[in-house]
Amino acid sequence: MSKVHVMDHPLISHKISYIRKEDLGSKDFREMISEIAMLICYEATRDLKLQDVKIKTPICEMTGKELAGKKLAVVPILRAGLGMVEGMLAMIPAAKVGHIGLYRDPETLEAVEYFCKLPVDCEERDVFVVDPMLATGASSVAAVQMLKEKGVKNIRFLCIIAAPEGVKRMQEEHPDVDLYIGALDEKLNDHGYIVPGLGDAGDRIFGTK
Ligand code: URA
């Protein structure tokens, strides 16, 4: 069974409360999404392997630590996932970025693929799939499935707010994918929105409503 990491850092909780407010404008919403992504990325990279490196400081020689050269990739689920990319890259600038486009069928709420462009060597990379909202889990499950079909083995999923329904579905369908969640909310409503949530993350990031 996958591990579910619900963030308990005060900065993350504070920033998530801030972006929930309905009167927050797109500019502030976008900036805050990016900052929260950075903080969740920090938690989701805690177990990256290190190796020794010889360093000469202005004072003396020493053995320091550096990342052990593991290749990483960030894969946002379009379109709301794009809002998290900048924050992720601020933490892991050498990561490549792939994109997966899925839309939610309004009737069935299931995910339908319309775009997939991944780094050529994606199967050698540890992949961080990002989407601000884990709601029904339909698009996250489908995105992870697409990555597995391309040969990706190490996948983590990062979101800002999750519903219990989406967490359950991800754990059932992808028990090998650990989840990093900024806040775990109460439920989904009849339209597939997270309650209390923050509304439509894509519309709020891009100012389309
Ligand atoms: N997608 C969103 O943007 N918000 C939700 O509440 C659910 C899915």
Side-chain angles (χ1 to χ4, degrees), residues 80 104 131-136 139 161 163 185 187-189 191-204:
R104 201 157 50 142
D131 192 347
M133 309 300 275
L134 173 56
T136 62
S139 51
I161 297 180
D185 273 10
K187 60 177 182 187
L188 292 178
N189 68 15
H191 304 285
Y193 279 92
I194 299 176
V195 180
L198 49 69
D200 187 304
D203 280 340
R204 296 197 62 187

Side-chain angles (χ1 to χ4, degrees), residues 45-194:
T45 48
R46 264 188 188 283
D47 59 350
L48 289 185
K49 299 280 174 292
L50 294 171
Q51 64 191 17
D52 288 348
V53 58
K54 289 247 186 300
I55 299 167
K56 193 165 178 311
T57 77
I59 310 298
C60 66
E61 289 193 347
M62 66 166 284
T63 303
K65 299 280 182 198
E66 65 180 12
L67 290 173
K70 187 80 189 156
K71 291 177 168 183
L72 306 175
V74 179
V75 176
I77 301 177
L78 301 178
R79 87 191 143 127
L82 289 175
M84 295 176 71
V85 172
E86 194 184 314
M88 295 292 294
L89 291 179
M91 291 289 103
I92 46 171
K96 298 270 195 263
V97 182
H99 295 87
I100 289 181
L102 297 159
Y103 67 87
R104 201 157 50 142
D105 185 301
E107 301 284 303
T108 64
L109 301 183
E110 286 304 310
V112 183
E113 175 188 338
Y114 67 87
F115 189 76
C116 181
K117 181 82 179 169
L118 301 171
V120 280
D121 57 355
C122 68
E123 71 286 349
E124 293 167 24
R125 293 178 179 268
D126 284 1
V127 172
F128 297 84
V129 178
V130 295
D131 192 347
M133 309 300 275
L134 173 56
T136 62
S139 51
S140 327
V141 163
V144 169
Q145 191 55 41
M146 285 164 72
L147 289 168
K148 287 183 175 175
E149 283 163 14
K150 307 271 180 196
V152 181
K153 283 165 217 69
N154 295 311
I155 304 172
R156 293 163 201 218
F157 181 85
L158 282 65
C159 66
I160 292 179
I161 297 180
E165 294 89 332
V167 173
K168 181 167 178 282
R169 186 156 172 200
M170 273 294 276
Q171 285 200 297
E172 281 168 2
E173 303 211 25
H174 296 297
D176 54 327
V177 174
D178 287 350
L179 308 177
Y180 295 84
I181 297 169
L184 183 58
D185 273 10
E186 196 185 317
K187 60 177 182 187
L188 292 178
N189 68 15
D190 294 343
H191 304 285
Y193 279 92
I194 299 176

